[in-house]
Amino acid sequence: MRIPTDLVRLDDQVHAWLPQFPGTWGMANCVVVTSGAETLLVDTPYTADLTRALTAAARRVAKPGARVSTVVNTHANGDHSYGNGLFPDAEIISTDANLAHLCAEPTPGQLQAMLDGCRAEVAFERYLLTHFGRYDYGGLEVAPPTRTFSGRLDLLVGSKPVELYEVGPAHTVGDLIVHLPQSGVVCAGDVLFVGDVPVHWAGPLSGVVDACRQILDLDPRVVVPGHGPVVGQAEVRAYMAYMEELRGRLHELYGAGVDVEEASRVLLREHRRTGLGLWERLAVLAAVEYRHLGGIEEPLSLVEVLAAAVRLAPDCVPAVVASRGELTAGLAELGVAELGVAAVPPGPRDGGAAVAGDGAGAVPGDLAY
């Protein structure tokens, strides 16, 4: 695996940055929209180095002298927003509700300190090192949105229309999706995961399904998930069916008086899917859905919920892990060489679009949800 050395062309004005690292956290997709002298970014990467790689790629597809005038955050998780601060002159847009999640998300400095202090002999800390230890959060500060909205917001990037739709609470309390009507593209953020078991911090799962239904209502040619390859409508429907399956089982268990730990174990036994990594996230989904069923409203601790999930799925923790320094050096060595552009030919509205180029493979016909 490598940091992408290509952007994926969705059409002449829309390109996707797709770091394909299945089975781990933090490598989120971003989308570059260009028109005339203006560039809009949908989400920003997790670290300063990754953000610089995206910026270099964006320069290759934008007109000379074009500037990043707008950043849209689909939600507040750091892997979709920590890079905001590298665009100090851009307007940063999210939903009003997204501001609430900013309070729950660790800052880059907090994550850096936590990871620097992780001990390999402690199982959960070994898990954190495995999945987050490669990231160096130095030089980053939280850059909150400068413009927020509720419901719908219409923008122009140069002459290109961009439609923002609030779809949360779902993955987080403040999710939005981005519709590019002239291109037939929807940027789904993390209401849609492809290739791994999803993690949702707000829920309920019915909210996730409703958000995906809003994606389908826009009749897109291509859907860019928050993580994983671009897909078509059939894959979105398969994902919705998986979320409905998990929701139905959790409601059945709750109604039978099964506690959340046992419900998590049931999902971990019954609902893993071949080809989907990060199965420990099933326990996070159980905890979040049970909070809704029980009417629990106090703030959720993301780290505590993840720690409980890892405890319930001990086989997700590797026996050994490299040191923090070795991990960050390893990510740097993956390289951000000269950047090119790969193409996605127009696909059927009910199927996946084939993806070419380094760092992105063909869309699977069966995502095994």
Side-chain angles (χ1 to χ4, degrees), residues 122-133:
V122 178
F124 179 57
E125 295 178 19
R126 193 161 64 247
Y127 178 91
L128 291 176
L129 283 171
T130 299
H131 292 286
F132 299 94

Side-chain angles (χ1 to χ4, degrees), residues 25-233:
W25 296 69
M27 289 292 187
N29 297 332
C30 301
V31 172
V32 179
V33 183
T34 59
S35 178
E38 303 294 321
T39 298
L40 177 146
L41 298 181
V42 180
D43 289 332
T44 59
Y46 212 11
T47 71
D49 284 346
L50 292 173
T51 304
R52 292 185 189 103
L54 169 63
T55 302
R59 282 197 292 267
R60 292 290 298 272
V61 301
K63 288 189 175 181
R67 66 187 185 95
V68 176
S69 56
T70 308
V71 171
V72 174
N73 290 143
T74 58
H75 60 291
N77 285 154
D79 55 335
H80 294 258
S81 65
Y82 275 179
N84 287 358
L86 274 71
F87 305 97
D89 298 325
E91 182 174 55
I92 300 172
I93 302 176
S94 74
T95 63
D96 295 334
N98 199 40
L99 294 172
H101 187 82
L102 283 174
C103 302
E105 185 78 9
T107 67
Q110 289 170 334
L111 272 180
Q112 189 89 322
M114 180 174 65
L115 291 163
D116 287 345
C118 279
R119 299 155 295 175
E121 63 270 21
V122 178
F124 179 57
E125 295 178 19
R126 193 161 64 247
Y127 178 91
L128 291 176
L129 283 171
T130 299
H131 292 286
F132 299 94
R134 62 176 58 88
Y135 302 114
D136 180 353
Y137 302 102
L140 293 172
E141 297 288 342
V142 172
T146 57
R147 180 182 183 184
T148 62
F149 72 97
S150 294
R152 173 176 172 171
L153 179 65
D154 290 351
L155 306 171
L156 281 176
V157 180
S159 61
K160 190 172 185 64
V162 179
E163 301 168 355
L164 310 183
Y165 295 91
E166 182 177 19
V167 296
H171 174 67
T172 68
V173 295
D175 299 303
L176 65 82
I177 59 175
V178 180
H179 181 217
L180 305 168
Q182 293 179 344
S183 303
V185 174
V186 170
C187 308
D190 280 1
V191 299
L192 176 65
F193 284 74
V194 177
D196 287 316
V197 172
V199 62
H200 297 303
W201 303 111
L205 289 176
S206 60
V208 177
V209 173
D210 288 345
C212 290
R213 189 170 291 114
Q214 291 183 65
I215 292 171
L216 295 178
D217 287 345
L218 296 169
D219 193 26
R221 173 180 62 90
V222 170
V223 181
V224 183
H227 301 262
V230 300
V231 295
Q233 295 183 27

Side-chain angles (χ1 to χ4, degrees), residues 247-311:
R247 178 181 180 274
R249 187 66 171 120
L250 287 169
H251 284 232
E252 176 185 306
L253 293 166
Y254 184 86
V258 175
D259 67 28
V260 66
E261 285 207 4
E262 183 56 31
S264 297
R265 293 188 180 97
V266 170
L267 258 60
L268 289 163
R269 287 196 305 269
E270 296 180 355
H271 294 273
R272 296 190 188 190
R273 292 291 182 269
T274 302
L276 296 183
L278 299 171
W279 59 86
E280 63 275 13
R281 289 174 168 177
L282 290 166
V284 176
L285 297 180
V288 170
E289 192 71 7
Y290 260 57
R291 285 170 60 88
H292 284 280
L293 290 169
I296 299 172
E297 296 182 357
E298 62 259 28
L300 177 75
S301 168
L302 279 62
V303 174
E304 289 179 8
V305 170
L306 180 56
V310 170
R311 176 177 56 81

